[in-house]
Amino acid sequence: MELNKSQLQAVCHDKGPMMVLAGPGSGKTMVITHRVKWLIEHAGVHPAGILVVTFTKAAADEMRQRFVSLMDGRTMPVSFGTFHAIFFSVLKHAYNYTASNIIREEQKQQLIREIIEDMPVEPDNVSEFVNDVLSEIGLVKGSMMDIEHYYATSCATSVFRDIYKQYVQRMENSRLIDFEDMLVYTWELFTQRKDILAAWQHKFQYILIDEFQDINLLQYKLIRMLALPQNNIFIVGDDDQSIYGFRGARPEIMLNFEKDFSDVKKVFLSVNYRSQAAIVRGAGCVIKNNKQRFDKQIQAVRPEEEPVDIRVFKGPADENAAVIREIRDYHDQGIPYHAMAVLFRTNTQARMLLEKMMEYNIPFKMQDAMPNIYQHWVTQDIMAYIQIALGSTARSHYLRIINRPNRYVSRQMLGERQVAFDVLLEQYKDKPWMQERLSKFAYDVHMLTQMQPFAAINYIRHGIGYDEFLEKYAEERKMDGQDLIELLDELQDSARNYATYEEWFGHIEEYTEQLRKQARKQREEKTDGVALATMHHSKGLEYQIVFIVDANETVTPHHKALLDADIEEERRMFYVAMTRAKSRLHIFFLKERYGRPMVMSRFVGEILVDRDAVKPGMRVLHQTYGAGVIKEVTDKAIVIRFDKIRQEKKLDIQFCLANQLLKIQS
């Protein structure tokens, strides 16, 4: 493919800093590889003096292969690698580190497990807790935060700080480093040893960085040091696709790049070669509502083929049925399964659709690990109640739920491997209030024996009080209780169509086995299947057909997104999801979920009504107030004089759009 004017300008940039703003499908990989070729063949740069930095090993390998292909198979000593790979090379030379010094993932996990043994934490899911802690440790290091000024989310801040300090100390004592340490130690080395820094600056005369919008503070500081004194730094990225804030990515680094490099040249790759015009236009209507961004207009090469398909469904069952129907129709038309993708905001949303796809024998590929809700600790609690109702006397089942909700039963009273309830009752014979609680427990368990699975879960939640227990549990641990309640909703819904516990358990077993088989198949072979992915994991991928499901408020944007910056990242995520589609984009949302009313996502509203098109003087129709004339439009409000009531109303424009309350008449 021939380079367009903007691409050519970027490729042929001479010296000094350059920022390439590369929109979706604009050919950024091609620009980077062609630039490396141009530097070698036209600028006379020795290949060994060129460093290309990516964020993943897969991206580095792909970049290297594309470059070799561009050079007609000739190999050159250009360095392609991740931040971690590049800076580990520095440490190898300085400290004689080898691969044996890099802590393995399972070692990290075990180290945290050992540390928390003596800590005042009792996580229900230890693996999940360990992963959350390790993620936060990485965030602290990558953001160059003082641990004393960091406030934890995985557990109490004081506890996290103790865990962090012990983790760092034990790593140092064992002469082990993790991925973040590769950067931290290099930073310390470059700061203390200017001679070593100078040697590496001399080695890499030209530095090219892909996906620059995902950079964190530590990575940026290292790159700035390495690029001196020539500052031949060539960054490629899209601030509108910065979606890894939870990893420490800071889009403001890219937004402020011109302040740090006053002589920077800027090129905008504004042509989208991937998506047809309707998709590009719809995505543009969404992303322009972000304030913290570079203003840009994307043009589509491909003409408009079909409008973006936006549909509302009564509930998840109808939505999933529509997705299945559309996938089968597309496949009948000759579109392979692997050319289609269903995108979710969170991976917990996939359960119902997965079950449907298994039912209809539609093959699928999971881009990220789909959690099995049946293995979650909340589900295990519910299962323990049911197992006891079915006659289990296992101590493990009783220990799980005897104090959920709290009945103040001592663990010492459950000392035997098998629990005899009469014996337990007898142990509290001198405490009538405890006997009363245990009698209520026995009554509740008996009630469960007479119920179908759906009704049983409902009884455990509301009759026994498990929902209330969860809310208190989350509050005490400063967790988001809504996520746990939603998981219970999912679990209860999964039991809806089963008449007996045996049938439901059989379904759970089959579903779990299918997930295992799918994961195994994906590891062993390339399979033709519909991609199921979160919005996060869809980044960098493309498909002919894309479905975005559950496009509702509290889902996308997520209910945890409270600050303006959070909402902007959520909008960027939705934008990324939209721009994965080449030919057809379906966006589905719900009227209700689990009996609760749902509201259309504001992002969908931004597609349906372009806020820039809403201007004073226009006539509108409001669902409640009827016809009127727009008098004033601001960022957050719209003032309308309504004919019928002969009054002006100041309304929240975002709310009106999200709830489809307004129609433009002219």
Side-chain angles (χ1 to χ4, degrees):
M1 182 174 134
E2 217 172 284
L3 296 171
N4 65 34
K5 186 178 176 182
S6 298
Q7 291 170 334
L8 198 60
Q9 187 183 345
V11 166
C12 301
H13 171 68
D14 189 18
K15 293 181 183 289
M18 167 160 275
M19 175 165 59
V20 181
L21 291 170
S26 61
K28 65 179 179 64
T29 303
M30 183 173 68
V31 165
I32 291 171
T33 52
H34 274 77
R35 170 137 179 91
V36 175
K37 181 181 180 183
W38 185 88
L39 286 171
I40 295 167
E41 295 183 348
H42 296 275
V45 179
H46 193 284
I50 302 172
L51 170 63
V52 181
V53 187
T54 65
F55 279 84
T56 66
K57 187 177 182 300
D61 292 341
E62 184 193 354
M63 198 81 72
R64 186 184 294 106
Q65 289 165 12
R66 295 269 289 269
F67 172 68
V68 170
S69 176
L70 189 63
M71 302 300 288
D72 299 321
R74 289 176 291 158
T75 56
M76 304 252 176
V78 177
S79 295
F80 293 89
T82 63
F83 282 96
H84 299 112
I86 299 302
F87 292 118
F88 183 62
S89 296
V90 174
L91 298 179
K92 280 199 297 187
H93 283 84
Y95 301 128
N96 295 316
Y97 277 135
T98 66
S100 64
N101 295 107
I102 304 172
I103 190 169
R104 299 189 309 277
E105 186 60 34
E106 59 270 24
Q107 284 179 288
K108 278 201 300 185
Q109 301 263 344
Q110 184 57 36
L111 181 54
I112 297 296
R113 286 170 184 266
E114 290 171 7
I115 291 170
I116 65 174
E117 279 181 4
D118 300 321
M119 295 278 181
V121 288
E122 293 182 12
D124 285 279
N125 188 319
V126 176
S127 295
E128 191 177 291
F129 177 75
V130 168
N131 285 330
D132 289 345
V133 166
L134 285 169
S135 178
E136 284 203 80
I137 288 172
L139 181 63
V140 170
K141 290 181 178 180
S143 303
M144 304 184 78
M145 295 184 197
D146 183 339
I147 187 61
E148 299 301 331
H149 297 152
Y150 178 74
Y151 294 92
T153 57
S154 56
C155 57
T157 295
S158 59
V159 173
F160 176 78
R161 289 173 184 171
D162 285 344
I163 296 172
Y164 179 91
K165 289 170 185 175
Q166 284 199 45
Y167 174 81
V168 170
Q169 190 60 57
R170 293 197 191 190
M171 292 281 285
E172 287 176 0
N173 293 344
S174 306
R175 205 166 183 264
L176 291 171
I177 59 172
D178 57 26
F179 284 122
E180 285 76 25
D181 289 332
M182 294 176 189
L183 308 187
V184 172
Y185 287 8
T186 304
W187 160 256
E188 292 172 351
L189 178 68
F190 281 176
T191 304
Q192 295 161 13
R193 293 288 302 274
K194 300 300 182 187
D195 56 327
I196 293 176
L197 172 60
W200 286 96
Q201 288 171 334
H202 180 73
K203 176 174 172 58
F204 295 127
Q205 298 286 308
Y206 287 81
I207 301 172
L208 298 85
I209 305 173
D210 188 25
E211 302 286 7
F212 188 79
Q213 75 279 347
D214 296 331
I215 203 163
N216 67 30
L217 183 61
L218 180 54
Q219 291 163 342
Y220 183 51
K221 282 183 175 289
L222 278 164
I223 286 295
R224 285 192 69 181
M225 292 173 83
L226 199 57
L228 291 169
Q230 298 100 328
N231 282 335
N232 292 325
I233 179 170
F234 185 90
I235 68 166
V236 183
D238 183 6
D239 56 300
D240 288 334
Q241 296 187 68
S242 180
I243 60 173
Y244 296 122
F246 65 97
R247 293 183 192 166
R250 293 173 55 171
E252 62 267 26
I253 292 174
M254 189 168 193
L255 293 169
N256 293 328
F257 192 77
E258 292 170 281
K259 294 179 183 175
D260 294 333
F261 297 90
S262 57
D263 58 337
V264 65
K265 300 287 194 300
K266 187 162 70 173
V267 173
F268 177 39
L269 306 185
S270 60
V271 179
N272 182 314
Y273 294 94
R274 175 189 299 153
S275 307
Q276 56 106 339
I279 296 169
V280 173
R281 185 173 61 255
C285 285
V286 173
I287 199 62
K288 71 181 180 183
N289 288 279
N290 273 3
K291 304 298 179 202
Q292 301 302 312
R293 64 185 291 264
F294 290 111
D295 188 29
K296 40 187 123 57
Q297 296 293 322
I298 307 286
Q299 297 106 39
V301 167
R302 294 175 61 184
E304 184 161 336
E305 297 165 13
E306 294 281 349
V308 176
D309 173 33
I310 297 174
R311 276 185 267 171
V312 60
F313 297 92
K314 183 181 177 184
D318 294 334
E319 180 186 57
N320 288 328
V323 172
I324 295 293
R325 190 166 53 250
E326 292 286 352
I327 287 172
R328 295 177 81 186
D329 286 349
Y330 281 127
H331 193 253
D332 289 344
Q333 295 166 29
I335 296 174
Y337 288 123
H338 67 255
M340 295 181 261
V342 184
L343 305 184
F344 309 88
R345 171 60 183 86
T346 64
N347 54 14
T348 55
Q349 295 168 252
R351 192 267 314 165
M352 290 178 71
L353 182 62
L354 276 174
E355 291 182 356
K356 271 291 179 195
M357 294 181 87
M358 290 174 187
E359 183 184 333
Y360 284 91
N361 292 315
I362 296 173
F364 58 88
K365 296 182 295 184
M366 297 173 292
Q367 296 296 341
D368 36 348
M370 295 291 175
N372 186 349
I373 66 164
Y374 303 120
Q375 293 175 343
H376 195 279
W377 65 266
V378 168
T379 302
Q380 297 305 308
D381 283 358
I382 300 296
M383 291 297 190
Y385 266 110
I386 292 171
Q387 291 294 351
I388 291 170
L390 294 174
S392 172
T393 59
R395 179 175 182 262
S396 59
H397 288 144
Y398 275 86
L399 280 175
R400 283 204 74 92
I401 52 84
I402 196 67
N403 286 315
R404 294 184 169 185
N406 205 343
R407 301 178 180 92
Y408 301 96
V409 177
S410 168
R411 292 175 70 92
Q412 280 73 34
M413 296 295 190
L414 301 169
E416 302 296 323
R417 291 184 68 181
Q418 302 297 319
V419 176
F421 190 79
D422 290 345
V423 174
L424 179 61
L425 203 60
E426 178 66 20
Q427 287 173 314
Y428 284 104
K429 63 183 179 183
D430 57 339
K431 295 179 179 176
W433 65 91
M434 285 299 299
Q435 287 204 322
E436 188 179 331
R437 286 176 183 143
L438 288 169
S439 296
K440 172 68 165 62
F441 173 77
Y443 171 81
D444 288 333
V445 167
H446 175 70
M447 290 294 291
L448 295 177
T449 64
Q450 307 171 53
M451 296 179 181
Q452 294 182 344
F454 181 89
I457 298 171
N458 193 60
Y459 186 79
I460 294 167
R461 295 180 65 179
H462 305 295
I464 296 177
Y466 189 78
D467 272 26
E468 190 178 345
F469 154 74
L470 271 190
E471 287 163 2
K472 286 180 181 174
Y473 176 95
E475 188 180 345
E476 286 167 4
R477 289 159 176 78
K478 296 182 171 57
M479 293 169 60
D480 191 334
Q482 189 173 334
D483 287 345
L484 298 176
I485 297 297
E486 284 178 2
L487 186 138
L488 267 178
D489 288 337
E490 273 286 315
L491 182 68
Q492 190 172 345
D493 186 78
S494 78
R496 185 182 294 278
N497 298 319
Y498 298 94
T500 67
Y501 293 125
E502 188 180 9
E503 288 176 12
W504 187 46
F505 290 168
H507 162 74
I508 291 171
E509 194 173 323
E510 184 185 351
Y511 176 81
T512 302
E513 182 54 31
Q514 284 292 333
L515 282 187
R516 283 200 203 99
K517 280 183 182 175
Q518 185 63 34
R520 197 161 52 243
K521 199 184 282 185
Q522 282 183 215
R523 286 195 301 270
E524 294 169 357
E525 58 186 72
K526 288 187 176 179
T527 55
D528 179 30
V530 178
L532 303 176
T534 59
M535 293 177 179
H536 275 117
H537 278 82
S538 73
K539 191 165 173 288
L541 304 173
E542 59 181 33
Y543 305 92
Q544 286 295 335
I545 316 294
V546 168
F547 300 86
I548 298 174
V549 295
D550 300 344
N552 290 91
E553 291 287 308
T554 74
V555 178
T556 175
H558 198 265
H559 64 84
K560 291 180 182 177
L562 302 174
L563 304 175
D564 287 348
D566 300 331
I567 295 293
E568 293 216 346
E569 178 151 324
E570 291 284 318
R571 186 176 281 108
R572 291 195 293 268
M573 210 179 309
F574 197 85
Y575 175 76
V576 165
M578 290 182 71
T579 54
R580 300 311 93 196
K582 296 163 82 172
S583 300
R584 292 288 279 131
L585 174 60
H586 302 269
I587 301 176
F588 296 166
F589 64 99
L590 307 175
K591 282 185 179 177
E592 63 176 49
R593 191 178 185 93
Y594 310 127
R596 301 189 192 100
M598 301 289 286
V599 175
M600 178 185 76
S601 169
R602 67 191 72 184
F603 307 147
V604 179
E606 290 163 1
I607 302 169
L608 293 170
V609 180
D610 184 354
R611 283 176 62 168
D612 287 353
V614 180
K615 300 185 185 299
M618 282 183 162
R619 289 201 61 80
V620 296
L621 190 65
H622 191 276
Q623 248 185 31
T624 304
Y625 302 116
V629 176
I630 298 174
K631 293 295 185 181
E632 186 184 354
V633 181
T634 66
D635 277 350
K636 294 189 176 180
I638 182 169
V639 178
I640 304 170
R641 180 169 178 84
F642 291 102
D643 303 341
K644 194 174 179 180
I645 61 175
R646 297 183 181 179
Q647 287 181 9
E648 287 187 1
K649 291 277 186 183
K650 188 175 184 179
L651 305 173
D652 185 319
I653 190 169
Q654 202 66 66
F655 182 83
C656 290
L657 293 179
N659 290 276
Q660 295 179 282
L661 298 179
L662 275 181
K663 278 188 182 175
I664 307 295
Q665 291 188 303
S666 59

